[in-house]
Amino acid sequence: MPAMDIKNLIDHFGTVEAAKKATGTSRQLWDNWTINGIPRGKQFEFEVLTAGKLKADRRFWKTK
C-alpha cells in the first residue's frame, strides 16, 4: 500500500481547506507535508480520524 499523502486527504475531505480544518493543520505544516510527506505518526492519527478509510503506511513496520 502506498504511503498516505496530501492528495488522499483532499480526496477524502473534499477540499484543501476542509482537509486542513479536519486535521487541525496550518498552511506551513501542510506545505511541509507536501514536500516531505506526512509523518507516520500523523498518518496513524488520520487513519483513526477517517475510521480506517485512509491507511497509514506500514511498509517498514516491524512486528515480533
Side-chain angles (χ1 to χ4, degrees), residues 38-49:
I38 302 170
R40 185 171 294 170
K42 284 293 183 185
Q43 290 183 33
F44 281 104
E45 286 182 36
F46 301 154
E47 184 173 332
V48 172
L49 178 68

Side-chain angles (χ1 to χ4, degrees), residues 5-45:
D5 63 16
I6 295 296
K7 184 179 180 326
N8 301 133
L9 292 172
I10 296 167
D11 290 346
H12 180 79
F13 292 106
T15 66
V16 171
E17 290 306 316
K20 287 195 307 191
K21 184 176 180 180
T23 59
T25 55
S26 66
R27 179 175 177 205
Q28 292 82 6
L29 187 57
W30 190 267
D31 290 345
N32 180 281
W33 290 352
T34 301
I35 297 166
N36 299 312
I38 302 170
R40 185 171 294 170
K42 284 293 183 185
Q43 290 183 33
F44 281 104
E45 286 182 36

Side-chain angles (χ1 to χ4, degrees), residues 14 50 60:
T50 64
F60 302 107

